Amino acid sequence: MKKKMAGAGGRSDWTCPQCSSIVFGRKNECFKCHTPKGGTAKGDSVPKGAEASRPPPKALFTVTGIEIKQRRGDWTCSACSTLVFARKDECFKCRTPKSGSHSSNGGSGGWQDARGGGGSKHIQIQLNKDLLVVAKSGDGVHLCALVVERLLDFDAVNAATAYRILLTKTVRDAWARNEALTSLERVLRDQHVKDFGARECANTLHSLAKAEDQRPCADLISALESRALVVQGGFIPQNIANTLWAFATLGHQPEDALVAGLMARALEVQGDFNPQDIANTLWAFAT
């Protein structure tokens, strides 16, 4: 039986003043930048002992009890009241244009300027590390909050990693998990699947097939199938076996062109198949 962790549920969790990461209440320093729990951000001129009198950062919205820190320039959709990052010109949920919606400061710049552009490779690598660290901690609620907060900053690899972890992880807050998965499915389908390689296609399909709950995501499966047809030349034996096994497990009949393409690729790399790959591939055709 797992020992209950101090601060579970976010009641004593704290926000790092240096990098704005959410840190578990039981930790005395930030896991990302190692700033002490009672410290201040570099460059702050707050005198020693004044931290207690400083008002807490304003939270723009809350996910299952965890406050998400407001960032300069973020705006609230006038139609559905959803938080939208400053650099976006329309609401990701209802597509309402930014014009006419309320901005947190009425100015320009916003989150993207504050974080140095938001699209660098360094940020994407750090995001994947954050996802893996939080997943390893065993706190599914924090994982869902991280996904919701940083969703629009994910690249294809980040989104695939987050989706795979959430599909196979037990989260005590079923609503938070479903909300994070649904948001990920929409973003994957509309933005990221087109950038997937063979590995991301195969791993995402495999995770979907292994999930305890059957996700109603036929559109995402179709998008993954179409992308797999494009990148089939990059499939290795494990990718081929996992993809065919996933389709069979999900009860989805892929297009003949994809099956033929994967079989042609299998012949090219047949010498690299291990017994498990062979078994999964044969099982898929027998099912």
Side-chain angles (χ1 to χ4, degrees):
M1 180 179 293
K2 291 184 178 179
K3 183 177 180 181
K4 185 175 181 180
M5 298 185 295
R11 288 187 295 274
S12 61
D13 296 340
W14 53 282
T15 301
C16 174
Q18 178 63 30
C19 66
S20 301
S21 295
I22 298 173
V23 187
F24 297 144
R26 67 183 185 280
K27 298 293 185 181
N28 293 321
E29 67 174 18
C30 174
F31 67 89
K32 183 185 292 185
C33 67
H34 304 295
T35 298
K37 186 173 184 178
T40 60
K42 293 179 181 179
D44 282 0
S45 58
V46 180
K48 185 177 181 180
E51 291 90 349
S53 62
R54 174 190 287 175
K58 183 179 178 183
L60 196 56
F61 68 103
T62 300
V63 179
T64 60
I66 301 174
E67 290 188 341
I68 304 302
K69 188 177 178 182
Q70 176 181 347
R71 294 185 173 93
R72 182 166 54 92
D74 292 344
W75 54 281
T76 303
C77 175
S78 59
C80 66
S81 301
T82 297
L83 169 75
V84 187
F85 290 141
R87 66 185 184 282
K88 298 297 181 180
D89 294 325
E90 68 176 14
C91 174
F92 66 89
K93 182 176 288 186
C94 69
R95 307 301 181 191
T96 296
K98 183 176 183 178
S99 176
S101 294
H102 175 69
S103 172
S104 62
N105 67 350
S108 61
W111 187 91
Q112 184 171 349
D113 294 338
R115 296 296 292 268
S120 72
K121 189 67 175 176
H122 172 75
I123 290 178
Q124 314 309 332
I125 292 173
Q126 187 58 54
L127 274 173
N128 244 39
K129 289 180 179 178
D130 291 348
L131 287 167
L132 295 173
V133 167
V134 177
K136 188 175 181 180
S137 75
D139 195 324
V141 174
H142 275 79
L143 179 60
C144 292
L146 175 61
V147 169
V148 171
E149 182 189 9
R150 303 303 301 276
L151 180 64
L152 298 183
D153 301 305
F154 285 173
D155 65 3
V157 174
N158 299 146
T161 300
Y163 193 55
R164 173 180 56 80
I165 293 172
L166 275 176
L167 279 174
T168 56
K169 189 172 187 62
T170 300
V171 179
R172 66 177 179 274
D173 190 330
W175 182 90
R177 176 179 180 271
N178 184 67
E179 188 76 4
L181 282 171
T182 300
S183 297
L184 272 170
E185 285 161 0
R186 181 179 61 250
V187 171
L188 280 167
R189 182 195 65 213
D190 295 344
Q191 299 181 27
H192 296 309
V193 168
K194 63 181 175 59
D195 298 319
F196 272 16
R199 179 181 178 182
E200 287 77 31
C201 287
N203 287 353
T204 304
L205 286 166
H206 190 254
S207 297
L208 269 169
K210 289 182 66 177
E212 294 182 2
D213 55 327
Q214 189 74 37
R215 299 290 303 170
C217 52
D219 289 345
L220 175 58
I221 293 174
S222 294
L224 288 165
E225 179 183 351
S226 296
R227 182 59 183 170
L229 185 60
V230 174
V231 298
Q232 58 185 310
F235 275 68
I236 62 175
Q238 185 181 28
N239 301 153
I240 296 170
N242 284 351
T243 297
L244 293 173
W245 179 87
F247 281 138
T249 302
L250 291 167
H252 178 83
Q253 177 61 49
E255 294 292 333
D256 292 343
L258 177 58
V259 175
L262 291 179
M263 287 301 91
R265 178 59 180 163
L267 289 174
E268 294 174 359
V269 295
Q270 57 183 302
D272 297 325
F273 273 78
N274 63 34
Q276 186 65 57
D277 297 333
I278 295 172
N280 285 348
T281 302
L282 292 175
W283 181 87
F285 280 108
T287 300

